[in-house]
């Protein structure tokens, strides 16, 4: 792609990458926090995804979708690894770090009873405001699966909230 500005060392590529980072970092952190529920781990997942994107920058057509998918994949892989390790070591999961922003904390507290895929889907839908097709691309599934995942997640949230009121 000579002359396109997509070459790794070009000033245009650097500027485009930095713009993407600035514009998307907050949303990607929201996805990672909702998934792994630990700020430093979430930051690692997001930064790893950006590093992966930079290595593939010249060949990526849709960088935001690519990096979003990388964040989701990194987070879910990390959770699977942690679960396996915890099962082997037979110890309780580590307590999560506190989140300084109370609105973030309240949102994350609502998601506690949901499975990983439901937490990610809700975050992509209501924090990132993505369409079902974009959520499906990020999760690597079909839009119909996204619809049912969102439906089940909302039903579980309703049940949890009604249980708290009782």
């Amino acid at each position: 792609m000579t002359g396109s500005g997509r070459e790794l060392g070009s000033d245009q590529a650097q500027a485009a990458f930095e713009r993407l980072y600035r514009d998307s970092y907050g949303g990607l952190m929201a996805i990672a926090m909702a998934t792994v529920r630990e700020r430093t781990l979430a930051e690692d997942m997001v930064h790893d995804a950006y590093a992966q994107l930079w290595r593939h920058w010249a060949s990526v057509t849709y960088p935001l979708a690519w990096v979003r998918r990388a964040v989701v994949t990194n987070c879910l892989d990390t959770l699977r690894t942690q679960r396996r390790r915890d099962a082997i070591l037979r110890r309780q999961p580590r307590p999560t770090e506190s989140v300084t922003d109370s609105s973030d904390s309240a949102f994350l507290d609502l998601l506690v009873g949901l499975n990983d895929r439901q937490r990610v889907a809700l975050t992509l839908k209501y924090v990132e405001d993505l369409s079902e097709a974009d959520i499906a691309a990020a999760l690597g599934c079909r839009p119909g699966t996204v619809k049912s995942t969102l439906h089940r997640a909302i039903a579980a949230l309703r049940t949890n909230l009604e249980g708290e009121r009782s």
Side-chain angles (χ1 to χ4, degrees), residues 75-153:
C75 289
L76 294 177
D77 287 350
T78 297
L79 289 175
R80 277 190 290 273
T81 300
Q82 284 178 340
R83 284 193 192 111
R84 276 185 286 225
R85 185 193 65 228
D86 289 347
I88 290 169
L89 298 176
R90 294 196 192 321
R91 63 183 164 105
Q92 296 298 317
R94 294 179 299 188
T96 60
E97 292 181 3
S98 64
V99 180
T100 56
D101 186 349
S102 62
S103 65
D104 285 348
S105 181
F107 176 71
L108 294 174
D109 288 345
L110 283 174
L111 303 180
V112 167
L114 304 178
N115 67 41
D116 300 337
R117 187 174 283 266
Q118 289 172 336
R119 284 196 313 270
V120 172
L122 281 173
T123 304
L124 291 170
K125 176 74 175 168
Y126 296 107
V127 174
E128 283 291 288
D129 198 28
L130 295 182
S131 69
E132 289 168 353
D134 289 338
I135 296 169
L139 290 175
C141 64
R142 295 182 176 170
T145 304
V146 170
K147 287 180 187 180
S148 65
T149 300
L150 289 170
H151 176 77
R152 288 184 182 121

Side-chain angles (χ1 to χ4, degrees), residues 17 20-21 23-25 27-28 31 45-54 57 60 62-75 124 128 138:
F17 186 84
L20 173 72
Y21 182 88
D23 295 345
S24 62
Y25 182 80
L28 295 175
I31 294 165
M45 299 297 99
V46 172
H47 289 136
D48 286 350
Y50 281 117
Q52 293 164 348
L53 173 62
W54 183 247
W57 185 255
V60 173
Y62 301 104
L64 178 58
W66 196 100
V67 74
R68 184 182 299 125
R69 175 71 189 260
V71 167
V72 169
T73 301
N74 290 349
C75 289
L124 291 170
E128 283 291 288

